[in-house]
Amino acid sequence: MTSLSDLPLRENLVGLRPYGAPQDPVPVSLNVNENTHPIPEHVAIDIVQSLARAVTGVNRYPDREFMELREALAGYLGHGLEANQIWAANGSNEVLQQVLQAFGGPGRSLLSFTPTYSMYPLLASGTDTSWIAVERPADYALTPEAVVEALKEYRPDIVILCGPNNPTGTPLERDVIEAAYDAFDGILIVDEAYHEFDAERESAVTLLPGRPRLLVSRTMSKAFAFAGVRLGYLAADPAVIDALRLVRLPYHVSALTQAAATAAVRHADSMLATVADIRAQRDRLAAALAELGYVVHPSGSNFLLVGGFADPDATFEALRAQGILIRNLSIPGHLRITAGTESETSTVIEAIRALGPGGARS
Ligand code: PMP
């Protein structure tokens, strides 16, 4: 077998490691911020019926423009959005990749504020876009002043603001988005993958009118409990959608994905019915860990970044040995934990309590 170093790999991919959150079949899996509740049975039945109808037509390519799904997503987002302002792909990862293919590339740059979602630099390398990481302050919260200063200094072509931010959970303030948009001439993406968990805050889609360089990305993978289907989407000016059409592969959203996602959006209320409970579990987890002496960062999402672990690697492994998977992101002293069902949350709280002050040590 040949090894990777024997191949004529593109230079900017040499030495990189693929995105690799562990995928262990453990009883309590709280490491990739999924909604751990199964989808409601009546919705599953309706989706299966929609899939059955779609399957009979799969000898033909699907609707390349997936208009029915785009109309459904526009209706779900509301605020007068129309289908020609909506785009979708196989997860918001693919949506973001298409944005970088269209607006990034050699000689162009992508800037974001770290720690943030680990796929952004990988999407940059994959599209030969240079990656600019600007560190967040100690409390991880962005201010208009700090963001404007960074954009004026680095003059990036693309900026991603993740709100709530993964992996810190930090909410994103509206005045930061407005200031960022005005501070440079490039493409501003607001990644709202976790927006439904922070729904008191107005979505950045309300900032779209008059801002043709603003793109708001969303996903059905988190609150919508639909990670396995792979459906992410974006709202922007119709001209942006025209740009993405230049780089997408034809028929990239399969007939089955279109059918399943359109049916799921029809049942948005039922699909999102677990959000209140997940938020309650997040708050219960936060209170319990704070009481145990850990530092819990404020979160507007379905996960918590928790500091105060004496040895995060040892705690990660100790929990994994008990069938509990959380996320070790190499942030000193920190681990990230997704809020699960009531019983999953109780299990993780009790397991961390049993490890004693500061967690496990190797
Ligand atoms: N953005 C953020 C901030 C995320 O955390 C994730 C998934 N972890 C994604 C985008 C991508 O999600 P998906 O491709 O499943 O839509």
Side-chain angles (χ1 to χ4, degrees):
M1 203 183 104
T2 308
S3 82
L4 185 54
S5 57
D6 297 325
L7 296 174
L9 191 65
R10 268 168 45 199
E11 214 170 292
N12 61 328
L13 297 181
V14 172
L16 294 189
R17 288 155 58 116
Y19 174 90
Q23 276 199 303
D24 281 0
V26 292
V28 180
S29 191
L30 302 173
N31 71 330
V32 284
N33 301 339
E34 295 151 334
N35 181 334
T36 65
H37 299 70
I39 64 175
E41 196 177 337
H42 73 280
V43 182
I45 291 168
D46 191 30
I47 291 171
V48 168
Q49 284 165 356
S50 300
L51 286 169
R53 280 192 296 277
V55 152
T56 61
V58 296
N59 55 311
R60 302 286 185 186
Y61 283 114
D63 174 6
R64 210 168 39 221
E65 296 294 328
F66 48 98
M67 287 314 292
E68 195 186 345
L69 174 57
R70 284 163 68 191
E71 269 155 29
L73 291 168
Y76 168 67
L77 286 179
H79 299 289
L81 284 164
E82 293 185 9
N84 68 353
Q85 295 172 275
I86 306 293
W87 188 247
N90 298 284
S92 51
N93 281 330
E94 189 180 63
V95 172
L96 295 173
Q97 183 180 51
Q98 292 175 346
V99 173
L100 288 180
Q101 287 174 323
F103 298 105
R108 296 197 173 192
S109 60
L110 164 66
L111 181 150
S112 195
F113 296 88
T114 56
T116 192
Y117 181 37
S118 60
M119 275 304 295
Y120 301 154
L122 287 179
L123 292 168
S125 351
T127 55
D128 238 326
T129 307
S130 58
W131 163 244
I132 303 168
V134 177
E135 226 181 294
R136 288 172 180 256
D139 67 355
Y140 303 125
L142 298 178
T143 60
E145 298 72 31
V147 167
V148 167
E149 194 185 311
L151 302 203
K152 297 247 186 254
E153 180 178 348
Y154 293 104
R155 308 188 144 278
D157 297 284
I158 305 172
V159 171
I160 306 183
L161 299 177
C162 187
N165 184 49
N166 179 12
T168 62
T170 321
L172 176 62
E173 302 297 340
R174 199 176 174 80
D175 58 353
V176 174
I177 305 170
E178 290 168 324
Y181 188 87
D182 292 336
F184 81 133
D185 292 330
I187 294 291
L188 176 62
I189 305 166
V190 177
D191 182 345
E192 289 191 342
Y194 300 95
H195 174 77
E196 286 90 347
F197 297 108
D198 191 28
E200 296 84 2
R201 201 172 297 269
E202 234 179 339
S203 164
V205 299
T206 57
L207 293 171
L208 286 173
R211 291 187 177 86
R213 296 177 289 105
L214 176 64
L215 286 56
V216 183
S217 85
R218 299 281 281 264
T219 182
M220 293 180 73
S221 298
K222 307 298 179 184
F224 239 95
F226 227 43
V229 172
R230 309 304 299 126
L231 201 287
Y233 55 104
L234 168 145
D237 191 276
V240 171
I241 313 302
D242 285 343
L244 300 182
R245 235 185 238 112
L246 297 174
V247 296
R248 63 96 191 275
L249 297 174
Y251 318 109
H252 69 293
V253 186
S254 83
L256 301 183
T257 304
Q258 291 185 36
T262 306
V265 176
R266 261 202 307 274
H267 294 281
D269 288 348
S270 310
M271 293 294 274
L272 294 170
T274 54
V275 166
D277 184 53
I278 294 165
R279 283 165 41 130
Q281 298 311 321
R282 171 196 70 198
D283 295 342
R284 184 164 79 91
L285 180 62
L289 294 179
E291 204 186 302
L292 292 173
Y294 291 99
V295 178
V296 181
H297 295 276
S299 173
S301 57
N302 66 335
F303 58 85
L304 295 172
L305 183 68
V306 183
F309 290 99
D311 186 344
D313 294 349
T315 297
F316 174 83
E317 289 304 340
L319 294 178
R320 190 176 185 166
Q322 298 174 50
I324 302 168
L325 199 53
I326 61 170
R327 196 69 179 273
N328 185 358
L329 294 142
S330 309
I331 301 176
H334 286 72
L335 291 164
R336 193 192 69 191
I337 309 170
T338 307
T341 59
E342 184 175 358
S343 106
E344 288 167 332
T345 305
S346 299
T347 303
V348 77
I349 291 171
E350 286 318 312
I352 293 176
R353 191 194 308 277
L355 293 175
R361 286 164 181 80
S362 54

